[in-house]
């Protein structure tokens, strides 16, 4: 399970913080001591024994010199936020999914609406300027009512939010003052798999904690929305809850990443952590400091990388690559330009888009109003349209109901005119079925009212109440049209049919239904 390490907190939890006593300016690399320049940046000097620290052959003798020099720039971040408390007095705490706590005094059955509960959270961050700009994760400071930054010398300062970017999980906050120790993103050297790394942060609220390891992999896709913009570094330095937003340093003390997530079945470190690369973090945080937000181009489609079974279902050549459009936003730039679901985007302004992430990044790099020349495949034929990029809405605006999954409708009553097709009982959309399954009037298709458990549809887990909108790009509004599309695919020797579903929660998805063997 992938976990964001943001918050360890809450009611009746006392945190003790370790203070790291340090002195002086921004960060020197080789050398056990540092000399301060007028700009506040630390520069290398010889160690106590007169030996400059340098990358060793094999295992290093110690990481102490690096940690001593960079630790003053790393901070603890403490936030307060409001969490909704349902009737009955129970409430949850951010960062602890699945746990509920009972307020003192127990439930109040007479209460109509409970006041939101004030919860505390903790994370990490680091100064990137001498005048108080601090980088952290978006999920550390999102919705915070107050933010405090605790420095390694024990000072606690109030901070204000400068800007945050949900898409990359980055944020910038600021404290008032000057001459803060700060570190810089490494923009030149590219970390390699096997290079040493040091992570410094605030795990479990302990503060001032350093761990070491190596770069385990590059370009990791976490299978979440942030991966559309971030090629994560995988590191095996121990990072835990509370390390979110802290820096990962290379052997020279340069920031090569911002710790953001861990893979863990237990919630603790198992040696698989993920950091946002410095190249991405630098570009995003610069924009946040300049304007408080990050502006990206927007096409108005949901899509993903074309998979082999989808390609086969559409009867496309084996070397076909691209981003398969799952759905088109009504009234958006793509719809106005004529793009449709089932189109496969292959290039944008001549740049290949062989994956869904490649298409997202190509569009995101456009300015609002830019013209994008989009080349795509439709029914096997190559076509081109010009789309004028719009401004991408925030993740919250794009996915407002993500956490409200919506329940599955009950498949308890037979529907009129129901036909069994590939293990699914499907029916035209009638007024009664729309009411039963809460299907909007503008949705067109056939509704699934039941599924044979051991069928291919049963293996996919298609629930009753799901609406089939299209089959291999053909709109279907009757069971006969669905059956005809499936028969066409089978006659063409295709192993499956690509269906467009509208789920009970209102989301549109594409899924290949493997065809049963013809009898």
């Amino acid at each position: 399970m992938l976990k964001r390490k943001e918050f360890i907190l809450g009611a009746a939890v006392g945190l003790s913080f370790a203070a790291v006593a340090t002195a002086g300016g921004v960060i020197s690399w080789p050398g056990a001591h540092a000399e301060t320049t007028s700009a506040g940046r630390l520069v290398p000097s010889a160690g106590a024994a007169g030996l400059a620290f340098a990358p060793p052959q094999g295992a290093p003798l110690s990481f102490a010199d690096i940690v001593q020099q960079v630790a003053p720039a790393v901070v603890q971040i403490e936030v307060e936020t409001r969490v909704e408390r349902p009737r009955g007095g129970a409430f949850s705490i951010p960062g602890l999914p699945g746990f509920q706590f009972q307020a003192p005094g127990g439930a109040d059955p007479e209460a109509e609406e409970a006041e939101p509960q004030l919860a505390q959270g903790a994370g990490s961050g680091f100064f990137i300027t001498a005048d108080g700009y601090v980088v952290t994760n978006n999920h550390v400071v999102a919705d915070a009512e107050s933010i405090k930054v605790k420095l390694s010398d024990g000072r606690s300062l109030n901070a204000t939010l400068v800007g945050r970017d949900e898409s990359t999980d980055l944020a910038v906050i600021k404290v008032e003052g000057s001459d803060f120790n700060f570190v810089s993103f490494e923009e030149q050297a590219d970390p390699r798999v096997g290079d040493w790394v040091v992570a410094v942060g605030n795990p479990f609220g302990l503060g001032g904690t350093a761990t070491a390891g190596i770069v385990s992999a590059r370009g990791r896709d976490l299978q979440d929305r942030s991966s559309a913009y971030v090629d994560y570094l995988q590191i095996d330095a121990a990072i835990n809850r509370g390390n979110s937003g802290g820096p990962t340093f290379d052997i020279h003390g340069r920031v090569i990443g911002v710790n953001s997530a861990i893979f863990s079945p237990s919630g603790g470190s198992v040696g698989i952590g993920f950091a946002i690369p410095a190249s991405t973090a630098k570009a995003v945080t610069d924009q946040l400091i300049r304007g408080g937000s990050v502006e990206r181009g927007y096409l108005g489609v949901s899509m993903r990388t074309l998979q082999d079974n989808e390609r086969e279902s559409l009867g496309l050549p084996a070397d076909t690559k691209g981003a398969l459009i799952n759905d088109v936003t009504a009234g958006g730039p793509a719809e106005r330009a004529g793009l449709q679901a089932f189109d496969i985007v292959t290039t944008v302004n001549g740049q290949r888009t062989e994956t869904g992430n490649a298409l997202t990044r190509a569009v995101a790099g456009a300015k609002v109003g830019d013209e994008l020349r989009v080349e795509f495949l439709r029914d096997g034929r190559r076509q081109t349209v010009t789309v004028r990029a719009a401004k991408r809405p925030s993740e919250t605006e794009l996915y407002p109901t993500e956490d409200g999954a919506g329940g599955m409708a009950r498949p308890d009553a037979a529907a009129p005119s129901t036909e069994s097709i590939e293990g699914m009982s499907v029916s035209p959309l009638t007024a009664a079925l729309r009411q039963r399954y809460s299907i909007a009037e503008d949705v067109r298709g056939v509704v699934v009212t039941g599924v044979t458990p051991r069928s291919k549809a049963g293996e996919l887990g298609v629930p009753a109440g799901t609406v089939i909108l299209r089959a291999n790009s053909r709109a279907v509004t009757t069971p006969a049209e669905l059956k005809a599309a499936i028969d066409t695919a089978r006659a063409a020797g295709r192993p499956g049919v690509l269906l467009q579903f509208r789920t009970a929660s209102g989301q549109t998805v594409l899924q290949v239904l493997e065809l049963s063997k013809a009898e």
Side-chain angles (χ1 to χ4, degrees):
M1 179 182 296
L2 194 66
K3 297 183 180 291
R4 302 283 178 185
K5 309 164 302 308
E6 58 271 290
F7 297 109
I8 296 299
L9 60 164
V13 178
L15 301 181
S16 63
F17 299 95
V20 180
T22 53
V26 169
I27 305 311
S28 78
W29 317 148
H33 297 64
E35 299 173 354
T36 308
T37 68
S38 58
R41 182 183 298 273
L42 299 182
V43 297
S45 63
L51 297 175
F53 183 85
Q57 296 294 325
L61 295 176
S62 174
F63 292 107
D65 291 337
I66 300 172
V67 174
Q68 182 181 16
Q69 293 171 73
V70 301
V74 183
V75 300
Q76 303 171 43
I77 297 176
E78 301 167 10
V79 303
E80 288 188 339
T81 186
R82 295 279 177 181
V83 294
E84 294 298 325
R85 181 169 55 182
R87 290 184 61 181
F91 63 94
S92 59
I93 292 178
L96 296 178
F99 290 89
Q100 284 201 324
F101 298 85
Q102 189 72 34
D108 179 6
E110 302 297 325
E112 294 184 2
E113 185 176 346
E115 289 293 325
Q117 174 71 25
L118 186 65
Q120 296 177 322
S124 303
F126 55 100
F127 284 106
I128 57 169
T129 67
D131 59 348
Y133 285 99
V134 175
V135 173
T136 186
N137 280 146
N138 171 67
H139 69 256
V140 171
V141 296
D143 303 320
E145 292 194 355
S146 68
I147 307 172
K148 287 186 179 295
V149 170
K150 190 169 184 179
L151 280 61
S152 60
D153 60 11
R155 286 182 291 167
S156 182
L157 305 175
N158 292 325
T160 57
L161 178 67
V162 175
R164 58 191 184 91
D165 182 42
E166 295 172 275
S167 298
T168 56
D169 194 28
L170 287 166
V172 175
I173 59 177
K174 190 177 189 303
V175 297
E176 294 303 318
S178 59
D179 298 326
F180 292 108
N181 301 303
F182 69 94
V183 289
S184 301
F185 290 112
E186 172 51 41
E187 300 180 76
Q188 302 299 324
D190 212 8
R192 303 168 301 166
V193 174
D195 282 347
W196 287 104
V197 294
V198 177
V200 183
N202 175 37
F204 302 113
L206 296 172
T209 299
T211 57
I214 63 170
V215 176
S216 303
R218 294 164 41 109
R220 287 300 197 202
D221 185 340
L222 304 190
Q223 302 298 312
D224 67 350
R225 293 196 184 99
S226 70
S227 294
Y229 304 99
V230 180
D231 289 322
Y232 284 93
L233 292 174
Q234 179 183 327
I235 63 174
D236 73 349
I239 53 179
N240 288 282
R241 290 182 182 271
N243 275 111
S244 280
T248 293
F249 298 99
D250 66 8
I251 199 75
H252 301 289
R254 303 169 297 199
V255 179
I256 62 168
V258 181
N259 299 324
S260 183
I262 60 174
F263 181 86
S264 173
S266 63
S269 174
V270 294
I272 303 177
F274 301 96
I276 302 165
S279 56
T280 300
K282 177 70 162 60
V284 170
T285 54
D286 281 353
Q287 290 187 63
L288 292 177
I289 291 173
R290 287 196 302 267
S293 63
V294 177
E295 187 172 284
R296 297 183 174 91
Y298 176 64
L299 201 59
V301 300
S302 63
M303 75 297 179
R304 64 168 181 263
T305 303
L306 179 68
Q307 303 298 311
D308 287 344
N309 60 347
E310 295 165 342
R311 175 184 51 75
E312 293 170 354
S313 297
L314 295 173
L316 298 172
D319 61 350
T320 303
K321 294 181 179 180
L324 174 66
I325 294 180
N326 175 70
D327 193 20
V328 178
T329 302
E335 186 187 60
R336 292 196 298 268
L339 288 171
Q340 302 175 6
F342 291 85
D343 288 343
I344 301 164
V345 179
T346 56
T347 69
V348 173
N349 287 346
Q351 177 182 342
R352 290 185 178 181
T353 54
E354 296 185 349
T355 66
N357 285 350
L359 175 57
T360 298
R361 295 177 191 183
V363 174
K367 294 182 174 61
V368 176
D370 282 357
E371 289 190 347
L372 303 175
R373 188 172 181 272
V374 179
E375 189 173 284
F376 62 97
L377 295 172
R378 178 180 294 169
D379 297 327
R381 294 187 296 273
R382 197 169 296 275
Q383 301 183 42
T384 303
V385 296
T386 299
V387 185
R388 190 174 296 278
K391 180 181 177 181
R392 181 179 174 85
S394 69
E395 298 296 306
T396 301
E397 292 171 319
L398 286 172
Y399 310 104
T401 60
E402 182 182 59
D403 294 329
M408 283 193 271
R410 294 178 291 111
D412 50 3
S417 305
T418 298
E419 185 172 346
S420 180
I421 301 174
E422 294 296 319
M424 299 179 293
S425 296
V426 297
S427 175
L429 278 169
T430 64
L433 289 174
R434 288 184 186 278
Q435 183 177 9
R436 179 192 301 176
Y437 297 119
S438 301
I439 300 170
E441 286 295 327
D442 61 346
V443 175
R444 297 290 180 268
V446 294
V447 62
V448 177
T449 59
V451 176
T452 303
R454 295 186 179 181
S455 65
K456 296 299 182 183
E459 292 175 3
L460 287 179
V462 179
T466 300
V467 179
I468 300 174
L469 307 175
R470 291 175 175 268
N472 278 357
S473 79
R474 292 167 55 179
V476 294
T477 57
T478 66
E481 289 176 346
L482 174 61
K483 186 174 186 303
I486 290 175
D487 288 344
T488 299
R490 180 177 282 114
R494 300 177 187 175
V497 59
L498 185 58
L499 300 179
Q500 184 184 46
F501 294 103
R502 177 65 60 91
T503 67
S505 61
Q507 298 203 345
T508 304
V509 298
L510 294 182
Q511 184 68 53
V512 173
L513 174 65
E514 184 180 343
L515 298 180
S516 59
K517 302 298 182 182
E519 297 180 357

